[in-house]
Amino acid sequence: KVFTLSDFDDCSEKVKARIKILDKGGVQLTAENLGKINIPPPITTAAEQKRILGLQHMDDLISMSDGQIWLSEELYKSGQRPALDVQRSLTRVGVGADTPSRADAPAIKELAGGLRFELAQAASLSGADANSGADRQIRTRDALLLAMHQERETRLLSEECICLLAARIGTLDAAIVDGSLAGTDKGSQVIQALIKHVKNVVPDALNSIDETLDLTEVNRNDLEDAIKSFSIS
């Protein structure tokens, strides 16, 4: 389709001036030629206007849901920090380069893979039969919540790895059974003692994680051995 000068009446004066130069030079005002100078073709029909508006609304919805989290007052009152409702949240991993523990670090990506799904699945198992295996999933959920629980303190990347890995390999299960849940003094004491213990046992592995942001197989094995040697009393 070849456009006319009148098709650009609603455009800015700058665009109209450029269009007039093209027209005066005998250049056909086609979408292809306009694209060469980064001028979008004008919207000339009601159907096209409706399509563009629909795409704009879609972009707005994507933008709204990109990184959106749902904080629950009920979870906050129960002591969970952060009080994140994973079933209602839709999140993406961000850069977080200005924080001690980076969300986009390879180490975090390795340990947090599938985390949201696990938490959401466990949240839907309340009231399930005790012999269905639901109790184990719920215990794992509580261990992960304990590992992630923070009040106002910040953690190093290596410290986050200690906590998440401890939950992943079942070390925190005993604490959960003992009532050391997220948001309790007992739970906080267990996590603090765990971090201190691992720091004393494998300091070089932790330094490597903080420096490289990665969790190598060697460092992971060292962390697992140190975590397993921790006694929850």
Side-chain angles (χ1 to χ4, degrees), residues 76-186:
Y76 183 85
K77 290 179 178 178
S78 73
Q80 181 176 318
R81 304 289 190 279
L84 176 64
D85 187 330
V86 294
Q87 291 183 303
R88 294 185 175 183
S89 298
L90 181 62
T91 64
R92 289 182 60 186
V93 173
V95 176
D98 58 342
T99 61
S101 180
R102 289 183 52 172
D104 67 333
I108 287 293
K109 289 183 177 181
E110 178 179 341
L111 293 175
L115 181 60
R116 180 179 178 274
F117 174 76
E118 291 179 65
L119 293 175
Q121 187 178 45
S124 66
L125 294 176
S126 298
D129 187 271
N131 297 322
S132 65
D135 54 341
R136 180 177 180 181
Q137 286 183 275
I138 292 174
R139 187 167 61 249
T140 299
R141 175 204 64 187
D142 290 343
L144 288 168
L145 290 175
L146 174 60
M148 295 186 294
H149 182 86
Q150 297 180 63
E151 291 289 345
R152 293 180 177 83
E153 76 279 8
T154 57
R155 292 177 184 162
L156 296 173
L157 175 62
S158 58
E159 295 172 343
E160 290 286 7
C161 289
I162 292 171
C163 298
L164 286 173
L165 190 54
R168 288 292 192 194
I169 65 177
T171 300
L172 294 180
D173 286 1
I176 298 303
V177 173
D178 188 47
S180 301
L181 302 175
T184 66
D185 290 339
K186 289 177 64 177

